[in-house]
Amino acid sequence: MRVVQTATLLVATLGVGLMAGLFAAFAYAVMPGLRRSADRTFVEAMQNINRAIVNGWFLLPFLLPIPLLLLATVLAWNGPGRVALPWILAALVLYLAGFFVTSGVNVPLNNALDNARHNAFDNALDNAFGKAPTDDGPAALGDAGGSRGPGGPADMADTADRLGVLKAARDSFEGRWVAWNIVRALAHTAAFGMLAWALFLHGVAGAGAG
């Protein structure tokens, strides 16, 4: 039983620590770096990150600590390491808080940013192909080569529209995402500290029992 308790606490602590490190890295390195980027670069980079991160290497340490911490709570309640129980419960509450911030705030913001980027791209395609002249004769050809041609007023307006969409998407995303990422980073870091102390108490209790 004690081996199972130790393994459960250890794996849960590692998973929580990985999440704390990931979100902290976004807070002090990734987002400050992207803040210096142009709107298009920022949006594309965040979209690529949000798509690439949905993989087993992320999902396993992100989801696994929840059942492990529940199991650790039950084992501590019924086992010799009950002295660590309050710290395990505190870690569980903090981790769930960070988990719900991710699923309830950051992920919806990611989805909204992704949709905004697609809308900007769809508008660009509509402007490039949907409004092209057909068979209206030389007048239409002249218009296509002028106001609709590359570098013409219409083309410049289309570019400005796309840039405006990207800027609006970034403005509605960046501030909230960064703030809530700091919240979840703090929650996961605190949970990691609680679990580290719980492991220490668990070890001391085992040594005393031995």
Side-chain angles (χ1 to χ4, degrees):
M1 178 68 72
R2 178 166 176 78
V3 173
V4 176
Q5 282 183 283
T6 303
T8 301
L9 266 179
L10 182 60
V11 176
T13 303
L14 289 174
V16 173
L18 286 172
M19 290 299 99
L22 174 66
F23 297 141
F26 269 99
Y28 61 67
V30 176
M31 301 311 293
L34 289 178
R35 186 171 61 232
R36 305 176 183 182
S37 303
D39 294 334
R40 178 176 178 179
T41 302
F42 178 92
V43 172
E44 288 181 346
M46 284 305 302
Q47 280 193 320
N48 290 333
I49 291 171
N50 294 333
R51 291 167 185 164
I53 203 171
V54 183
N55 60 70
W57 294 107
F58 168 77
L59 293 176
L60 185 64
F62 180 60
L63 298 174
L64 190 59
I66 296 175
L68 288 179
L69 287 173
L70 290 171
L71 177 60
T73 299
V74 174
L75 293 174
W77 183 272
N78 298 316
R82 194 163 185 175
V83 65
L85 180 60
W87 302 96
I88 297 172
L89 286 172
L92 176 60
V93 170
L94 287 166
Y95 191 84
L96 285 174
F99 179 88
F100 286 123
V101 166
T102 297
S103 59
V105 180
N106 292 91
V107 169
L109 285 173
N110 293 343
N111 294 336
L113 187 70
D114 193 58
N115 291 334
R117 173 68 178 164
H118 284 312
N119 290 339
F121 182 72
D122 290 342
N123 290 340
L125 290 179
D126 289 342
N127 290 329
F129 300 107
K131 299 179 181 178
T134 53
D135 55 354
D136 294 333
L141 293 175
D143 180 65
S147 63
R148 298 298 306 175
D155 185 67
M156 294 173 64
D158 294 343
T159 301
D161 288 343
R162 293 196 298 273
L163 293 177
V165 170
L166 295 177
K167 184 179 187 309
R170 178 179 183 173
D171 289 344
S172 63
F173 171 89
E174 186 175 12
R176 290 182 62 202
W177 198 98
V178 168
W180 283 105
N181 178 69
I182 293 173
V183 171
R184 65 179 177 175
L186 291 173
H188 286 311
T189 301
F192 176 73
M194 299 290 180
L195 285 176
W197 185 245
L199 265 176
F200 173 77
L201 293 177
H202 175 74
V204 169

